Amino acid sequence: GKGNFRHFMQKEIHEQPAVIGDTLHSYVNLQTRAVTLPEMPLDFAALPRLTISACGTAFYAGFVAKYWFEQIARLPVEVDIASEFRYREAPMPEGGAALFISQSGETIDTLAALRYARSQKQTILSIVNQPESVIGRESDLVLPTLAGPEIGVASTKAFTTQLTVLACLALAAARARGAIDAAAEACLSSAITEVPAAITQVLEHAEPLEAIAHDISAVRDVLFLGRGSLFPIALEGALKLKEISYIHAEGYAAGELKHGPIALIDEDVPVVIAAPSGPLFDKLASNIQETIARGGRAIIFSDRAGLERIGDGAAYTVEMPTIDPFVAPILYSLPMQLLAYYTAVAKGTDVDQPRNLAKSVTVE
Ligand code: M6R
């Protein structure tokens, strides 16, 4: 049941510190903080390329992982939505591996993409929440997310546990490929273990988001911006909002703003920006200034240091806990989920069963 919560989605958002903790328990040795994966059916050191495919929110998890595998493990990654990948007839390298991400493990396009990769002799890995599912059964190795049942149609805890497993996998790949030294690995793996407590902090200070959501509930369009590994989080924020509040939203890489979408910006189109401190912060800060200079209402999520550097002019700023940039995409998923949730509540839409949508899409 929903316990003390009004909706399953709200309950599932609040379960995230616990289920990410459970997931970490099975992928990280919490004493040594070293990532420990099951025996792999492949050698990351010799892998020419990893191909990732999934749908919807699971695709965005894979898109974040592309940044991680490339930067930390120096592993070439291709990522595509499964409905495109399955028909592209993409050549796949000899000795390559393919990774499929799915909460249900039953999504038909993801399954078809898996079977295509199998026909191309790739090693098949999957990250699924339901290991007994067809995608799980057809994989050479299943890395389960321990999210527990997700009832709300809008995926929340499945997404952040997928990211958790992917972060661990990227670290394991980095080690196998000799791409990081022991000190860097220790630093990144301890960053992962800090995520549940940081999420708890976000959940305990969520009231400002209700006021922002109230404003958003009155508009027709919203833009979401991010850069680097936060770009997929902007896409996810936009998907979450349109899915449950029926407000039109688009996610953009902030650097693309001046190549088109900036024409949309005025006081009626709020711009939500995921802006953690990190290597791309200054670039993003100038994109924020471009937005504000055109009369846009910027809603900025950043940590204390970031907010100090951005200065005035935003419609709203929300302070996030300070965290290693590596795991920022996991943490910044939370305000995206909460904004969508409170906006839907303000509009009175059906949060758990949005119109026209099914929890798992088993027909093409
Ligand atoms: O069960 P799956 O993870 O394969 O489902 C994939 C998508 O259908 C799913 O993530 C969908 O986009 C969600 N409704 C998003 O909240």
Side-chain angles (χ1 to χ4, degrees):
K2 289 187 278 231
N4 291 328
F5 294 101
R6 194 166 153 200
H7 300 99
F8 280 108
M9 183 185 181
Q10 184 190 25
K11 172 171 178 266
E12 290 159 4
I13 287 172
H14 285 263
E15 280 170 353
Q16 288 173 110
V19 296
I20 291 174
D22 293 343
T23 303
L24 283 175
H25 264 279
S26 64
Y27 293 96
V28 180
N29 178 327
L30 293 174
Q31 262 76 56
T32 64
R33 300 207 163 173
V35 169
T36 49
L37 293 181
E39 204 190 319
M40 286 281 160
L42 59 84
D43 176 9
F44 271 118
L47 194 65
R49 182 164 79 211
L50 179 67
T51 303
I52 304 178
S53 196
C55 299
T57 289
F59 166 73
Y60 296 139
F63 197 3
V64 171
K66 175 182 170 73
Y67 287 85
W68 286 338
F69 282 113
E70 291 183 345
Q71 279 175 0
I72 298 164
R74 307 300 300 151
L75 174 65
V77 170
E78 181 187 359
V79 62
D80 198 4
I81 47 175
S83 58
E84 284 300 311
F85 182 75
R86 62 178 291 192
Y87 293 118
R88 265 172 51 207
E89 301 179 28
M92 302 186 82
E94 201 181 317
L99 170 64
F100 301 89
I101 306 167
S102 176
Q103 188 286 127
S104 62
E106 305 289 344
T107 301
I108 193 71
D109 284 322
T110 308
L111 177 61
L114 181 157
R115 288 179 175 160
Y116 176 76
R118 175 73 75 198
S119 79
Q120 299 297 299
K121 303 199 170 42
Q122 304 293 293
T123 301
I124 309 294
L125 310 180
S126 64
I127 295 176
V128 294
N129 200 39
Q130 300 185 17
E132 302 312 316
S133 59
V134 53
I135 289 174
R137 288 196 306 271
E138 294 197 18
S139 301
D140 297 315
L141 177 71
V142 181
L143 299 165
T145 47
L146 301 178
E150 189 181 65
I151 309 295
V153 164
S155 185
T156 53
K157 62 178 182 168
F159 180 62
T160 51
T161 53
Q162 285 159 357
L163 290 175
T164 301
V165 175
L166 287 161
C168 293
L169 195 60
L171 274 188
R175 184 200 301 149
R177 295 171 71 81
I180 50 170
D181 60 25
E185 185 185 337
C187 175
L188 295 180
S189 57
S190 74
I192 301 177
T193 63
E194 284 160 20
V195 168
I199 290 181
T200 300
Q201 252 180 284
V202 173
L203 292 171
E204 283 172 357
H205 299 97
E207 314 80 61
L209 291 179
E210 281 188 68
I212 300 172
H214 192 263
D215 264 23
I216 290 183
S217 70
V219 306
R220 216 183 59 179
D221 312 281
V222 181
L223 278 180
F224 287 77
L225 302 180
R227 288 190 89 115
S229 63
L230 277 297
F231 167 37
I233 300 307
L235 296 170
E236 166 63 4
L239 175 62
K240 216 91 295 174
L241 187 70
K242 53 191 149 192
E243 196 171 24
I244 60 169
S245 77
Y246 316 145
I247 293 171
H248 171 239
E250 295 297 334
Y252 265 95
E256 273 290 292
L257 200 58
K258 55 168 84 64
H259 300 287
I262 201 164
L264 286 174
I265 289 179
D266 64 19
E267 62 282 359
D268 298 324
V269 183
V271 183
V272 178
I273 306 158
S277 290
L280 293 173
F281 184 83
D282 290 335
K283 304 280 175 199
L284 189 60
S286 78
N287 302 137
I288 292 172
Q289 290 316 319
E290 288 161 6
T291 303
I292 293 172
R294 279 148 189 97
R297 283 197 288 143
I299 300 166
I300 302 172
F301 294 93
S302 188
D303 43 59
R304 179 163 306 161
L307 291 178
E308 274 166 14
R309 282 162 69 187
I310 285 164
D312 299 332
Y316 295 100
T317 55
V318 180
E319 188 179 324
M320 296 283 290
T322 297
I323 196 145
D324 191 292
F326 172 48
V327 290
I330 311 180
L331 189 64
Y332 282 68
S333 302
L334 267 287
M336 304 297 139
Q337 299 168 351
L338 290 164
L339 263 192
Y341 174 74
Y342 288 129
T343 304
V345 169
K347 287 194 72 171
T349 51
D350 188 340
V351 170
D352 286 330
Q353 289 284 316
R355 67 187 183 201
N356 309 340
L357 288 171
K359 182 63 183 163
S360 62
V361 183
T362 54
V363 291
E364 203 179 343

